Amino acid sequence: MKKTSLYNIHTSLGAKMVPFAGYDMPVSYSGITEEHNAVRNAAGVFDVSHMGEFMVEGPDALALIQKTTSNDASKLFPGRVQYSTIPNEEGGIVDDLLVYQMSEEKFMLVVNASNIEKDWNWFQHYAQGLNCRLDNVSDNMSLLAVQGPKATEILQKLTDIQLSEIEYYHFRMGTIGGVDEVIISATGYTGSGGFELYIKNEDAEKVWNAVFEAGKAEGIKPAGLGCRDTLRLEMGFCLYGNDINDTTSPIEAGLGWVTKFTKDFVGREIIEGHKTNGVTRKLVGLEISDRSIARQHAEIVDAQGAVIGEITSGTTTPTLQKSIAMGYVPTALSKPGSEVMIRIRNKDVKATVVKMPFYQPSK
């Protein structure tokens, strides 16, 4: 198992460590609910250094990204970030990712930890014949996600950059806690605001300690993968390997908004057909009538007991105190208010399709 640069800190804090995407990662420290609530109400810090980062540089860097991702990267400019997917030739999803434009001919691609090798090979394949250079810097970078409504005021103590001026899905390069060349990105997967900090491995502990020292008065807490999952699920954000994979279409998954048919990309014709002709199933949000938790792969059934779909993610939400889930259902049953049943421990439990996100962040 690989270890992040902050492994010793996690173990010293008594974190419960679990294997995840080839890394020994903290799933929780003080408890998932407590960490979840800290992020919603104050601030929490995640070590997400297991994520992958690829640098793409050269005259054809944009051409490669346009060919291999679904969103329109020509709309980017230095300092701007874009959420996108990597479609395959069959109209499925190789991965979802963030695309950063670092300069006119340089981009950073941030991919899921479990897909680093697959994605690297994919980009290498499509870069053949293009005038650009790819560099896999995943093992050299650490990534901290400082999330929550108090994240900005905590981090502002550590930098001269006016963080409130960095708009959502924008970034700046700067100094944090005395460490230079940090990518300070107004992104995250929690729905509670904050920043993600890309740091050299050798500086990770220094930045982690500085952030916690700065956030003492605000009640900052370390947060693990457990509450990262409950937070993103409350927001209806897809998790690769659960809600999207190589066989799910971006249109089925509700990711048409990051799929632009104004350009050519891998799988475009098939996915455009999904958009034009419609799809037979859609990813929906579900509220379950009791406190039963619908786990991944639980069957979704109709009133007659016939299997019509499958749960992809499910939890009891700490913020809303409800049992929620995401899953694929026939398109005819995808409208909010539609009722289905979920087979949980051999019992069929009623669930209602609801509009996502489940949690509405305050402005």
Side-chain angles (χ1 to χ4, degrees):
M1 301 296 292
K2 287 185 174 182
K3 293 176 171 60
T4 74
S5 299
L6 296 165
Y7 175 84
N8 290 336
I9 285 182
H10 302 319
T11 54
S12 72
L13 291 170
K16 180 182 177 184
M17 306 297 287
V18 298
F20 183 81
Y23 282 82
D24 213 358
M25 296 295 292
V27 69
S28 66
Y29 302 81
S30 55
I32 290 173
T33 299
E34 185 175 320
E35 294 162 30
H36 178 111
N37 290 335
V39 175
R40 284 281 179 254
N41 301 314
V45 184
F46 300 84
D47 175 13
V48 280
S49 305
H50 60 316
M51 298 291 280
E53 294 89 13
F54 307 151
M55 294 296 181
V56 187
E57 189 170 7
D60 291 338
L62 178 60
L64 174 64
I65 293 165
Q66 288 290 68
K67 180 69 176 177
T68 53
T69 66
S70 61
N71 211 335
D72 185 0
S74 71
K75 303 293 186 185
L76 288 170
F77 50 82
R80 187 76 165 92
V81 192
Q82 188 179 74
Y83 178 64
S84 192
T85 69
I86 308 169
N88 61 29
E89 293 93 341
E90 292 78 39
I93 301 171
V94 176
D95 203 359
D96 60 339
L97 77 165
L98 293 180
V99 181
Y100 286 70
Q101 183 160 8
M102 311 302 294
S103 62
E104 188 175 345
E105 293 187 353
K106 185 176 181 180
F107 297 81
M108 180 172 73
L109 311 178
V110 183
V111 303
N112 284 298
S114 56
N115 290 334
I116 292 174
E117 185 178 359
K118 177 177 77 166
D119 293 354
W120 176 251
N121 292 337
W122 188 268
F123 287 116
Q124 289 274 67
H125 171 73
Y126 281 98
Q128 291 178 28
L130 295 180
N131 185 9
C132 61
R133 186 179 72 256
L134 281 77
D135 189 11
N136 184 353
V137 297
S138 305
D139 290 340
N140 305 325
M141 294 186 80
S142 294
L143 175 56
L144 299 186
V146 186
Q147 299 284 289
K150 295 185 178 179
T152 302
E153 72 178 271
I154 292 168
L155 291 176
Q156 192 61 72
K157 301 173 189 178
L158 301 173
T159 184
D160 292 334
I161 293 173
Q162 290 303 308
L163 298 178
S164 61
E165 294 177 2
I166 305 177
E167 295 177 47
Y168 192 44
Y169 269 72
H170 290 69
F171 72 95
R172 296 270 299 276
M173 293 283 293
T175 301
I176 286 276
V179 172
D180 297 328
E181 296 182 10
V182 177
I183 299 171
I184 305 165
S185 175
T187 49
Y189 226 54
T190 65
S192 282
F195 292 86
E196 293 182 299
L197 310 176
Y198 296 83
I199 314 154
K200 294 171 187 168
N201 285 343
E202 57 266 30
D203 295 323
E205 281 198 20
K206 183 176 180 180
V207 173
W208 173 281
N209 290 332
V211 169
F212 275 90
E213 185 63 31
K216 270 183 184 175
E218 289 80 8
I220 198 168
K221 287 187 177 294
L225 294 179
C227 80
R228 184 173 163 87
D229 196 46
T230 56
L231 289 158
R232 69 92 193 167
L233 187 46
E234 286 187 345
M235 292 303 299
F237 293 151
C238 290
L239 176 64
Y240 195 89
N242 282 48
D243 314 298
I244 51 177
N245 57 40
D246 289 294
T247 65
T248 51
S249 164
I251 306 304
E252 293 176 330
L255 296 175
W257 62 283
V258 294
T259 308
K260 308 299 186 187
F261 301 111
T262 52
K263 59 162 199 166
D264 184 40
F265 59 86
V266 176
R268 173 190 160 161
E269 203 170 300
I270 293 173
I271 299 170
E272 196 164 17
H274 297 163
K275 174 78 170 175
T276 303
N277 304 320
V279 289
T280 59
R281 63 172 192 162
K282 285 190 175 177
L283 185 66
V284 298
L286 295 160
E287 277 189 8
I288 292 120
S289 59
D290 62 19
R291 300 281 287 177
S292 303
I293 299 178
R295 301 292 185 191
Q296 186 185 20
H297 303 309
E299 295 174 331
I300 302 173
V301 300
D302 62 16
Q304 288 72 44
V307 177
I308 57 171
E310 183 179 85
I311 295 298
T312 56
S313 295
T315 192
T316 297
T317 156
T319 309
L320 305 174
Q321 295 292 302
K322 292 178 181 177
S323 182
I324 60 173
M326 293 165 67
Y328 285 91
V329 300
T331 301
L333 291 171
S334 65
K335 289 180 181 171
S338 299
E339 291 189 351
V340 296
M341 307 292 283
I342 303 173
R343 196 155 285 161
I344 304 172
R345 297 192 198 91
N346 298 317
K347 177 186 169 188
D348 291 352
V349 180
K350 190 172 83 171
T352 305
V353 175
V354 296
K355 187 177 180 183
M356 293 190 284
F358 301 97
Y359 168 76
Q360 294 289 342
S362 56
K363 297 294 183 187

